[in-house]
Amino acid sequence: MITTGQKIAIERTKASRLPQTDLDNIKFGRVFSDHMFVMDYADGAWHKPRIEAFADLRMSPASLVLHYSQTIFEGLKAYRNVNGGINLIRPQSNIERMNHSARRLCMPQIPEDMFLDALVELVRQDQDWIPKDEDAALYIRPFMFASDEYIGVRPSDGYRFIIFTCPVRGYYSEPVRVKVETKYSRAFPGGTGETKCGGNYAAALYPAKLGQDQGYHQLVWTDGLSHKYIEESGTMNVFFNVDGTLITPALDGTILRGITRDSIIRIAKDEGIRVEERQVSVEEIEVAARNGRLRSAFGAGTAATIAHINTIAINDEVYELPDVSTRKLANQIGSKLDDIRRGRVADPYGWVVPVA
Ligand SMILES: *Cc1c(COP(=O)(O)O)cnc(C)c1O
């Protein structure tokens, strides 16, 4: 049974893969650090929190998760700071969101202090995996899945919670071409849109592929009822700069409560930028794009922080957004956020959690 302050058993690998890993040449999400954190849920309690070698799992073909997708995840990053230390950014927000997802998926809560201890200790153990260059980071992937060996549809009794990490290098993303999707839906009121549950992403693959076949990197989803209101992108929330005002869809239960989204809003307001969180209609964006008032648009999420959008297709019309110089607003906010992460400026928000 996990109690506050319970110690994490640490067994370091005897065969680190770091010496034969070329950290200068890594593909996002394909290289995994030496260790992972694991704990198991059984008989109504969490057991055996431990850090051990990153390794394959053994599981029954009848594991519930493989059939009915009772699984949730999170994503956050650890950054090297200018003083040689390492910072986690707003990990408590990820922990709260994971527990929010868990509740919706009938999964057990993870004790917040244990979760934070696990994040800090795991990053400490694998800190040498963070590439040294300016904009590298360690991507952290916590997830939980149903582990019962049973093929009836019901919540599992047993679960496994794992955290592993991936070194990632400066993520410069090319400006993206997006298509506003008005046929397929990602989420709908009362559904699971607000959670990071595996099923959401599986269901989005097909419409996203149709978009890719037409030359678009990403979809911008619209509401599942009327398809008249903008929601978000694949794994990013969206912002529009219309005449210098940042507009983003309000959190209505169907879009993910992005932590990057929240950070951007906080910083933008403090920089004196007008921000509106509200319903954003497709029509409004289309009109703004047509008459040149849509100065820029971008996606916001942990992976890229800010992904500029240069092309947006709405109802078979393709709008090219003005060129790079208009991305000033997004870049201003993005570099402020990066300065806080890297410890180049004081953190007025209490977001930084140092990994001692
Ligand atoms: C994870 C995610 C985001 C971004 O959330 P961050 O906390 O900023 O990384 C946005 N939308 C969806 C659907 C996501 O899965």
Side-chain angles (χ1 to χ4, degrees), residues 15-198:
S16 171
R17 286 173 284 105
L18 194 51
Q20 64 271 20
T21 304
D22 179 6
L23 287 181
D24 293 335
N25 289 294
I26 41 177
K27 283 200 180 129
F28 181 87
R30 297 219 181 257
V31 177
F32 308 102
S33 318
D34 277 331
H35 300 91
M36 61 184 183
F37 172 86
V38 186
M39 66 178 178
D40 298 301
Y41 190 84
D43 305 320
W46 288 104
H47 301 274
K48 290 207 298 185
R50 58 200 186 269
I51 288 174
E52 58 190 32
F54 178 91
D56 290 350
L57 305 174
R58 292 192 53 175
M59 62 203 302
S60 163
S63 289
L64 273 179
V65 63
L66 299 178
H67 304 266
Y68 313 120
S69 254
Q70 198 189 7
T71 176
I72 57 175
F73 67 94
E74 271 300 326
L76 68 159
K77 279 179 179 171
Y79 302 84
R80 280 191 194 284
N81 65 35
V82 288
N83 307 313
I86 296 165
N87 291 341
L88 290 169
I89 303 298
R90 309 187 68 177
Q92 290 94 343
S93 300
N94 293 91
I95 291 170
E96 277 168 29
R97 191 170 65 187
M98 180 103 170
N99 278 333
H100 179 73
S101 297
R103 221 170 282 122
R104 179 65 178 80
L105 273 288
C106 263
M107 301 171 89
Q109 297 289 291
I110 299 161
E112 294 189 7
D113 50 354
M114 172 54 70
F115 198 155
L116 186 60
D117 282 356
L119 290 170
V120 168
E121 193 53 49
L122 183 64
V123 171
R124 200 201 322 260
Q125 292 295 328
D126 279 334
Q127 55 185 285
D128 293 343
W129 282 83
I130 311 179
K132 292 284 187 312
D133 43 312
E134 263 279 287
D135 45 4
L138 195 66
Y139 182 83
I140 306 168
R141 168 53 57 89
F143 66 111
M144 191 206 309
F145 60 89
S147 57
D148 279 12
E149 184 175 2
Y150 176 61
I151 56 162
V153 178
R154 62 142 171 81
S156 188
D157 291 325
Y159 296 88
R160 181 160 278 198
F161 173 60
I162 298 179
I163 310 173
F164 63 77
T165 69
C166 304
V168 290
R169 294 175 54 85
Y171 191 106
Y172 171 74
S173 77
E174 290 281 316
V176 290
R177 296 168 55 82
V178 302
K179 177 187 142 186
V180 174
E181 175 61 53
T182 51
K183 178 175 177 209
Y184 294 95
S185 303
R186 187 194 89 94
F188 43 86
T192 55
E194 203 180 66
T195 71
K196 275 178 120 72
C197 70

Side-chain angles (χ1 to χ4, degrees), residues 97 186 196 201 232 234-237 256 258-260 300-302:
R97 191 170 65 187
R186 187 194 89 94
K196 275 178 120 72
Y201 304 83
E232 62 177 318
T235 53
M236 292 190 291
N237 296 106
L256 215 279
I259 297 162
T260 314
T302 293

